[in-house]
Amino acid sequence: MSFSFEWLGLREMYDIPARDKHLLHKAGSAMRARHAPMVVDLACGTGANVRALSQHMPHDVRWRVVDNDIKLLDTASRSALGGEVVFGDLNEVLDEVLEDVDLVTCSAFFDLVSPAWIDRFVAALPERAIVYAVLTYNGQENWEPAHPDDAAVRDAFIRHQHSDKGFGDALGPDATAYLEKALSAAGYTVETAPSDWALGGAEDGFFIETLSDGVAQAASEAGTDPSEWRGVERQSVRIGHYDLLAFPPGSMIWEEND
């Protein structure tokens, strides 16, 4: 599946402050300790993840950006500073794009994939690869003012999240827990932290409305009528995400020093 330029551009400005700074800095410290590290960004979209990470990477970092939308990928390539650009379906090119990488990163991606896909991903990781996955939806939502249909609409949205997004029935909000378990079983040291969107400022109104529209659309597609729920003018919302950083067995666990 793919996302629009408009949606990706809108969420980027909220994703950046939501990231857990401790894990971000630890990932950067680990890459600065390596010579010319290769960083691959899976499902890179317009390159927002590359832009967020670049200032924490060493000057000799090498990028590999991967997506199945050629227009998004073209935009991402401008942020990858001459790095490798791979157009393809991650069901087909996964083993190829993970070759010889130091850091595997992605944003808002693992909630779209299946348990079987994560198992394959973990099995394909090179021995030295660190995993840094950010902004994975975790199912926590808190809309204000509250509405009696909040729970029903949330449950319908999660049912939609669990549908097949091109990688088998998706894990949705269970993704971080499954990924953590799979990596830990492979000997990785895993750390997670919340990276919620907390919206409620005067400048957040359009994004809150866009989120509400998206949740309502997904709930409708999952068989729940969200019309009364959608009629509420929301003042604030917190949408839960997790960031995850995992170091392979035998590697030094770097602390942040940005």
Side-chain angles (χ1 to χ4, degrees), residues 120-138:
R120 180 186 166 200
F121 165 78
V122 172
L125 287 168
E127 289 185 2
R128 71 174 184 271
I130 297 168
V131 178
Y132 177 54
V134 301
L135 297 154
T136 305
Y137 176 69
N138 66 17

Side-chain angles (χ1 to χ4, degrees), residues 215-235:
V215 169
Q217 178 64 32
S220 178
E221 292 175 5
T224 294
D225 180 4
S227 54
E228 291 190 11
W229 181 88
R230 183 61 191 90
V232 178
E233 184 175 348
R234 305 292 182 159
Q235 301 302 313

